[in-house]
């Protein structure tokens, strides 16, 4: 008889994982606390759109839904930097103009992965079921529904229930040496809108990720298929100028006119959006282990939430699905070994991603504004073109390859060192040669 899996959470990774497990022939029940996203419910609390790149696309391709998912995605070929005077600078993501990241709607992608899972008759999806506890040993999930409580027993439970995972909480309470660390940035985020132009067109360059870098904070905007842009303001919660001190419409208007003057005329609903949209927090979560024998396992944000500045949280969660699927294939009769191998293949890499994501916040909000950044990016592209396959900028490795994140981070450190040493040697030789000529 096929093993029975219970998955908790049908967000982005939950739906995709259910499809992978369904294809492998397992009996899968997926429980989601929210209502069916196809009934028009907002996938509340998270970004409206996301950037999907090579790792995420590969995971969709492996289950045959990449074209379906990407049909409405908008390619973004580089960063469009808006300085305070409204001057724009475009920096391509890669020397190869075909390499781009893609803006994709969260709700549409969520629906695509859920529908992919439901094509397998052995997968069932249950909405409006909230997990409140997991008995790890049996393993049994306690669910709350509008009709009361329900206990569901299975062979294995997978927690795909996001950064504030109830499954992980049960592991924390019941596994003696469970390691857990959560750290919040001092910044929060708020989503705002640039609506489509009168003819449904985009009011700014469509094929770019727009950034208004302002040193300690920033705003970004990603395009949507309907001609709108979703802007996200990343700003300190506290401080002299912060979410805390910006209370009235006048405060908001003044702040935006000072900092993002070219965006204000494009944001007719700015004040309403600012007032009504929630301010989200930015958390990094690290924990270990991600599994309990052959009974319980964590995947996606439940195992490793990262801040969004590398655009990799979902991509990494999708990559988890591929790796777990490979491990289940390798150890079809030993789920504990499959879970163990999945954990050991992913942990070091998602820890590396967590560090890269925090580092990229500083790059986006501060360094992208500088000429040095643009020169460094040009140098990166020159070296990449001159040394194909040998020199790869870190952003390129993370975004456009499937090299493990930890290997990417190590490789970039070595490359940077070599470039700096080479530059010092070149400068020393030039200075030495000049001095020699002058002295002759
Ligand atoms: C502002 C922002 C921008 C981002 N941009 C990007 C980006 O550009 N690119 C990228 O790759 N990543 C991005 N991310 C990260 C990405 O959103 C997450 O990594 C991704 O959603 C993780 O998927 P998941 O399925 O693990 O978790 P989630 O998508 O959070 O899904 C978890 C699901 O579990 C359900 N659930 C929770 N608790 C329970 C419970 N007790 N019982 C039942 N169900 C439950 C939830 O309702 C939800 O449906 C961004 C994140 C933020 C906050």
């Amino acid at each position: 008889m096929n093993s029975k899996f219970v998955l908790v959470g049908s967000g982005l990774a939950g739906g995709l994982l259910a499809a992978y497990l369904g294809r492998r022939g397992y009996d899968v029940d997926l429980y989601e606390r929210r209502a069916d996203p196809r009934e028009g419910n907002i996938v509340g609390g998270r970004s409206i759109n996301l950037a999907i790149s090579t790792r995420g696309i590969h995971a969709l391709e492996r289950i045959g839904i990449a074209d379906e998912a990407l049909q409405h995605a908008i390619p973004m070929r580089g960063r469009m930097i808006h300085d305070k005077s409204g001057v724009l600078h475009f920096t391509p993501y890669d020397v190869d103009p075909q390499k781009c990241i893609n803006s994709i709607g969260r709700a549409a992608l969520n629906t695509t992965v859920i529908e992919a899972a439901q094509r397998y008759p052995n997968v069932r999806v249950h909405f409006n079921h909230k997990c409140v506890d997991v008995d790890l040993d049996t393993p049994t999930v306690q669910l709350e529904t509008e009709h009361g409580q329900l206990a569901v027993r299975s062979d294995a439970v997978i927690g795909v229930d996001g950064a504030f995972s109830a499954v992980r909480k049960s592991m924390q309470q019941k596994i003696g040496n469970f390691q857990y660390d959560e750290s919040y940035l001092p910044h929060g985020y708020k989503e705002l809108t640039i609506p489509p132009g009168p003819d449904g067109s985009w009011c700014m360059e469509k094929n770019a990720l727009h950034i208004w870098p302002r040193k300690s904070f920033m705003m970004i905007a990603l395009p949507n298929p309907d001609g709108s842009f979703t802007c996200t303001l990343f700003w300190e919660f506290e401080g002299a100028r912060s979410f805390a001190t910006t209370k009235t419409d006048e405060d908001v208007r003044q702040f935006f006119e000072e900092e993002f003057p070219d965006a204000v005329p494009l944001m007719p609903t700015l004040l309403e959006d600012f007032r009504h949209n929630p301010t989200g927090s930015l958390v990094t979560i690290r924990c270990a282990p991600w599994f309990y024998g052959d009974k319980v396992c964590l995947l996606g944000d439940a195992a490793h939430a990262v801040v969004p500045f590398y655009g990799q949280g979902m991509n990494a969660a999708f990559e988890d699905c591929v790796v777990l699927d490979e491990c289940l294939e390798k150890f079809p009769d030993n789920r504990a070994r499959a879970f163990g191998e999945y954990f050991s293949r992913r942990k070091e890499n998602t820890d590396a991603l967590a560090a890269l994501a925090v580092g990229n916040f500083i790059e986006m909000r501060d360094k992208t504004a500088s000429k040095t950044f643009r020169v460094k990016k040009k140098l990166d592209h020159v070296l990449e073109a001159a040394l194909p396959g040998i020199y790869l900028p870190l952003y390129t490795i993370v975004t456009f390859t499937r090299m493990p994140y930890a290997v990417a981070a190590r490789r970039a450190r070595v490359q940077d060192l070599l470039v700096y040493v080479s530059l010092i040697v070149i400068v020393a030789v030039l200075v030495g040669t000049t001095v020699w000529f002058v002295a002759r």
Side-chain angles (χ1 to χ4, degrees):
M1 209 176 75
N2 282 335
S3 303
K4 177 179 157 78
F5 277 79
V6 159
L7 269 51
V8 177
S10 79
L12 298 176
L16 188 65
L17 182 66
Y20 270 97
L21 296 178
R23 183 173 66 175
R24 209 157 270 296
Y26 296 116
D27 203 29
V28 181
D29 280 286
L30 175 54
Y31 292 97
E32 164 60 45
R33 74 172 173 195
R34 292 197 173 118
D36 189 335
R38 289 162 294 191
E39 288 166 9
N41 300 288
I42 302 157
V43 191
R46 312 303 292 279
S47 57
I48 289 167
N49 55 19
L50 313 102
I52 187 166
S53 48
T54 299
R55 294 166 203 265
I57 294 171
H58 172 253
L60 297 173
E61 276 166 354
R62 290 268 297 243
I63 198 93
I65 55 168
D67 290 342
E68 187 184 339
L70 290 170
Q71 60 182 325
H72 300 300
I74 300 178
M76 298 180 288
R77 306 199 188 287
R79 307 170 183 88
M80 184 68 83
I81 306 300
H82 296 239
D83 74 17
K84 265 198 185 184
S85 59
V87 172
L88 304 179
H89 304 275
F90 181 75
T91 312
Y93 279 124
D94 196 79
V95 65
D96 174 358
Q98 296 308 314
K99 285 198 181 133
C100 53
I101 59 176
N102 303 276
S103 173
I104 193 165
R106 185 183 286 268
L109 182 58
N110 206 356
T111 299
T112 305
V113 290
I114 291 171
E115 288 181 348
Q118 286 178 321
R119 280 179 209 139
Y120 296 94
N122 44 325
V123 176
R124 292 162 296 276
V125 187
H126 315 265
F127 295 100
N128 301 308
H129 283 67
K130 179 182 176 191
C131 168
V132 286
D133 191 31
V134 182
D135 181 280
L136 305 185
D137 288 305
T138 39
T140 304
V141 175
Q142 290 291 337
L143 297 156
E144 249 173 35
T145 74
E146 54 183 4
H147 308 295
Q149 293 252 345
L150 178 76
V152 180
R153 201 173 166 145
S154 61
D155 297 307
V157 173
I158 309 209
V160 218
D161 48 345
F164 303 100
S165 165
V167 178
R168 189 187 64 228
K169 197 168 166 206
S170 293
M171 292 171 77
Q172 256 177 286
Q173 286 163 351
K174 292 162 198 169
I175 301 175
N177 55 354
F178 191 82
Q179 294 166 31
Y180 181 73
D181 177 66
E182 64 178 26
S183 59
Y184 285 86
L185 289 187
H187 298 70
Y189 70 93
K190 194 181 277 290
E191 290 201 334
L192 306 160
T193 308
I194 293 181
D199 52 352
S201 62
W202 289 265
C203 299
M204 305 186 293
E205 167 58 48
K206 170 190 172 191
N207 296 114
L209 190 151
H210 294 260
I211 311 178
W212 289 258
R214 298 293 183 262
K215 292 206 180 292
S216 71
F217 61 92
M218 68 174 179
M219 184 165 81
I220 64 168
L222 272 70
N224 295 311
D226 66 355
S228 66
F229 285 84
T230 303
C231 306
T232 312
L233 170 67
F234 296 95
W235 198 18
E236 287 96 335
F237 277 115
E238 304 287 338
R241 252 191 356 158
S242 63
F243 280 118
T245 55
T246 307
K247 295 202 189 321
T248 64
D249 283 358
E250 196 38 47
D251 294 341
V252 176
R253 197 195 325 266
Q254 197 185 337
F255 169 65
F256 272 77
E257 277 171 359
E258 269 172 41
E259 297 297 341
F260 314 115
D262 62 331
V264 173
L266 309 177
M267 302 173 90
T269 55
L270 169 65
L271 300 178
E272 291 93 305
D273 290 349
F274 199 93
R275 239 183 281 126
H276 295 130
N277 292 352
T279 309
S281 54
L282 296 162
V283 66
T284 302
I285 288 173
R286 294 184 184 81
C287 67
W290 294 355
F291 68 107
Y292 178 72
D294 64 345
K295 306 256 188 292
V296 183
C297 192
L298 299 173
L299 187 141
D301 275 15
H304 52 75
V306 298
V307 293
F309 305 108
Y310 234 110
Q312 284 294 313
M314 165 198 55
N315 285 283
F318 280 9
E319 201 169 49
D320 286 352
C321 297
V322 174
V323 174
L324 181 57
D325 184 57
E326 286 170 359
C327 295
L328 288 166
E329 180 172 36
K330 187 167 168 193
F331 302 108
D333 303 317
N334 192 339
R335 209 168 38 241
R337 279 197 75 183
F339 287 170
E341 176 148 328
Y342 151 75
F343 170 61
S344 63
R345 278 178 63 183
R346 295 303 286 157
K347 174 67 177 155
E348 180 196 24
N349 291 308
T350 54
D351 281 350
L353 172 61
L356 290 174
V358 172
N360 215 42
F361 186 27
I362 300 161
E363 173 153 325
M364 286 179 86
R365 70 176 201 226
D366 188 356
K367 297 190 184 154
T368 51
S370 73
K371 274 200 184 118
T372 320
F373 173 84
R374 292 198 289 277
V375 170
K376 164 92 172 64
K377 286 292 155 197
K378 279 196 183 127
L379 180 65
D380 270 349
H381 293 170
V382 168
L383 288 170
E384 192 184 351
L387 306 166
I390 299 171
Y391 184 88
L392 281 176
L394 178 59
Y395 188 87
T396 298
I397 308 178
V398 169
T399 310
F400 302 122
T401 79
R402 291 189 294 113
M403 186 185 294
Y405 293 115
V407 179
R410 281 195 291 272
R411 179 173 164 157
R413 278 195 293 273
V414 173
Q415 279 184 172
D416 279 353
L417 190 69
L418 289 176
V419 170
Y420 289 132
V421 170
S422 311
L423 285 176
I424 290 168
V425 170
I426 291 168
V427 170
V429 169
L430 286 176
V431 171
T433 315
T434 315
V435 170
W436 185 75
F437 268 114
V438 173
R440 271 177 71 205

